[in-house]
Amino acid sequence: MKMKFLLLPLLLVFFYGCQVHQRSMYYWSDYSENYYKYKKTTTDTTKTLFKKTLKDIIVKADSEHKKIPPGICAEYGFMLIQGGEQSEGLQYMDKEAALYPESLVFVQRIKKEVMKGGNQ
Amino acid sequence: MKKIVLSFALIALFLAGCAPKITKEEFAPNMYKTHPVSILVLPPINKSTAAEAKEYYLTTITEPLAEAGYYVYPIEMVSEILKEEGLFDTETMNNVPLSKFRDFFGADAVLYVKIEEWNTSYFITSGSVTVKLACELKSTVSGETLWFYDNKVVINTSASNSGGGLAGLLVAAVATAIQTATQDYVPIAKQVNENIMKAIPAGKYSSQYNQDQLVKIEKRDKAK
């Protein structure tokens, strides 16, 4: 009985898998899974796990021979700033702008708001 | 039953292959003229009855859009900022001129996503879970639509009734109910995203950047 309803999904997976898949250029770790867990049940635990995942991406991307994806450093920096670690958080915002020059306008705006004393 | 399911699947795949095709450049010429680099994804417009769809969807979009070669602004951070400004509902953002997003974020383009379907359908031994999404990319410089696409994935969660008789039907009904109720939407949304992103011109960070003009995609007509 089990085999019968595995057949159609398997066929679909087979046909999707046949399509050309570009190798991922970024290291994602468990980004979407842990972001989803955080949104599904927002607790200190899930928030910490999401934050740890962002750090994991930043720390491990190089050794995985992949790049840090867009937004990850900024996201991590923002969480540090929200947690009171302003100086370190701003460094990660700078790292975002260094990796992705198109983020500079955004990063500068956030830094300005943060350094004004108010937390964005 | 197995034979019928198999032949329907094959027919569907065959018909899908017969859908009218167009090259990426013919479909979205302005993408290749303007080459937007950075994309701001706004919180999706939720047309479904599942309130959680909006936030759950946001956890799925960064990966495929970044892998397509675009700079994607950090989703969680942007959501928080927009919430603070009272702008989390994209519907209310229709009055915000696109140039404001360029001023504040430096974004070249804004991605509007509509969750058109995010639901289950269940009737005795017939169950399915559907996710349908529609994307539209607008330039923050000209305000025009640079690209749009939509896709729908339906997962069949029906259990076959192989036992025969009432007992078999009950077993199948329970199995269908469980399969339908526990089918997670998020993997389906990810598949829909993947299908949609196959149709977007490659962004700056992609190895296919400015080389995929002639790649053929299924044509879409713009809704509404």
Side-chain angles (χ1 to χ4, degrees), chain B residues 47-78:
Chain B
K47 298 279 184 190
S48 80
T49 54
E52 71 280 8
K54 197 159 154 172
E55 294 220 301
Y56 289 179
Y57 175 75
L58 285 174
T59 68
T60 69
I61 186 59
T62 301
E63 273 188 58
L65 194 53
E67 291 289 351
Y70 291 93
Y71 177 78
V72 184
Y73 292 87
I75 298 274
E76 183 59 17
M77 203 171 152
V78 167

Side-chain angles (χ1 to χ4, degrees), chain B residues 57 114-120 128-134 151-155 184-193:
Chain B
Y57 175 75
K114 226 179 257 178
I115 300 173
E116 296 193 343
E117 290 180 61
W118 185 283
N119 59 49
T120 60
S128 66
V129 181
T130 302
V131 173
K132 185 181 179 193
L133 305 167
N151 188 255
K152 172 167 127 170
V153 168
V154 182
I155 297 291
D184 201 348
Y185 291 99
V186 167
I188 307 175
K190 285 182 179 177
Q191 185 58 63
V192 177
N193 282 338

Side-chain angles (χ1 to χ4, degrees), chain A residues 5 8 11 15 21 24-26 28 32 35-36 39-40 75 78 82 96 100 102-103 109 120, chain B residues 6 9 13 56 59 63 66-67 71 74 76-77 80 84 103-104 179 186 190 194 198 204-205:
Chain A
F5 38 78
L8 185 55
L11 264 177
F15 278 104
H21 251 3
S24 170
M25 48 179 166
Y26 298 117
W28 292 101
S32 64
Y35 189 16
Y36 174 60
K39 291 285 110 177
K40 191 169 180 194
E75 203 81 86
F78 193 61
Q82 285 180 317
E96 179 79 25
Y100 297 102
E102 47 275 340
S103 71
R109 186 172 291 277
Q120 250 294 0
Chain B
L6 191 52
L13 285 162
Y56 289 179
T59 68
E63 273 188 58
E67 291 289 351
Y71 177 78
E76 183 59 17
M77 203 171 152
E80 287 193 41
E84 271 177 41
D103 292 341
F104 191 94
Q179 274 166 205
V186 167
K190 285 182 179 177
E194 212 176 303
K198 284 197 177 97
K204 168 185 168 185
Y205 292 104

Side-chain angles (χ1 to χ4, degrees), chain B residues 2 21-22 122 162 199:
Chain B
K2 182 170 158 180
K21 298 258 166 99
I22 191 172
Y122 165 67
S162 59

Side-chain angles (χ1 to χ4, degrees), chain B residues 44-185:
Chain B
I45 297 164
N46 191 1
K47 298 279 184 190
S48 80
T49 54
E52 71 280 8
K54 197 159 154 172
E55 294 220 301
Y56 289 179
Y57 175 75
L58 285 174
T59 68
T60 69
I61 186 59
T62 301
E63 273 188 58
L65 194 53
E67 291 289 351
Y70 291 93
Y71 177 78
V72 184
Y73 292 87
I75 298 274
E76 183 59 17
M77 203 171 152
V78 167
S79 295
E80 287 193 41
I81 291 167
L82 292 175
K83 271 180 191 163
E84 271 177 41
E85 300 295 317
L87 291 173
F88 191 63
D89 286 314
T90 304
E91 292 87 334
T92 64
M93 271 188 274
N94 279 333
N95 297 324
V96 177
L98 283 158
S99 56
K100 290 282 182 201
F101 294 117
R102 186 169 189 79
D103 292 341
F104 191 94
F105 293 96
D108 294 326
V110 170
L111 187 70
Y112 292 90
V113 182
K114 226 179 257 178
I115 300 173
E116 296 193 343
E117 290 180 61
W118 185 283
N119 59 49
T120 60
S121 158
Y122 165 67
F123 186 72
I124 310 177
T125 59
S126 167
S128 66
V129 181
T130 302
V131 173
K132 185 181 179 193
L133 305 167
C135 290
E136 187 173 354
L137 190 69
K138 286 191 175 178
S139 164
T140 56
V141 176
S142 65
E144 64 180 347
T145 297
L146 295 173
W147 171 84
F148 64 92
Y149 216 71
D150 63 77
N151 188 255
K152 172 167 127 170
V153 168
V154 182
I155 297 291
N156 186 347
T157 52
S158 309
S160 61
N161 175 16
S162 59
L166 188 59
L169 188 66
L170 283 171
V171 168
V174 169
T176 301
I178 292 170
Q179 274 166 205
T180 309
T182 56
Q183 176 62 57
D184 201 348
Y185 291 99

